[in-house]
Amino acid sequence: MKRLVSRKLAEIKDEPRAREVVRHVLSENFLAEEKIESEVKALLLENAKLIKDSASDYKRLFTLAKTKLARERGFIL
């Protein structure tokens, strides 16, 4: 908040309220990302045998799937 105000990127009249709003937005963002991660884990778990048989890298597949789901939902990682 202090950086935004000092750089004149934002004018804040009620700092406690502004902090509350920022916390709320960040919290929602983290929850949305956790939901996407949970869905990706479930998707990869459903296809675990295929992944194992193809010798694919789980972490790489996780990242690709997460990025795709996020893009489809308009979520910026």
Side-chain angles (χ1 to χ4, degrees), residues 26-39 73 75:
L26 288 174
S27 177
E28 284 183 352
N29 186 293
F30 289 133
L31 289 174
E33 186 173 358
E34 285 178 13
K35 182 180 178 188
I36 288 172
E37 287 181 358
S38 294
E39 290 178 34
R73 296 177 183 173
F75 185 83

Side-chain angles (χ1 to χ4, degrees), residues 1-65:
M1 302 299 297
K2 290 178 185 177
R3 287 183 192 159
L4 292 173
V5 172
S6 67
R7 293 179 182 171
K8 299 185 187 217
L9 297 173
E11 184 178 315
I12 300 170
K13 295 178 182 174
D14 185 359
E15 192 171 325
R17 175 71 180 135
R19 288 180 187 274
E20 180 183 325
V21 169
V22 169
R23 282 190 188 109
H24 179 72
V25 169
L26 288 174
S27 177
E28 284 183 352
N29 186 293
F30 289 133
L31 289 174
E33 186 173 358
E34 285 178 13
K35 182 180 178 188
I36 288 172
E37 287 181 358
S38 294
E39 290 178 34
V40 170
K41 287 177 185 177
L43 179 66
L44 293 179
L45 187 59
E46 289 173 12
N47 296 290
K49 183 170 178 11
L50 293 172
I51 293 168
K52 184 179 176 187
D53 292 345
S54 70
S56 296
D57 179 31
Y58 178 85
K59 184 171 177 130
R60 184 168 185 272
L61 288 174
F62 181 88
T63 303
L64 289 171

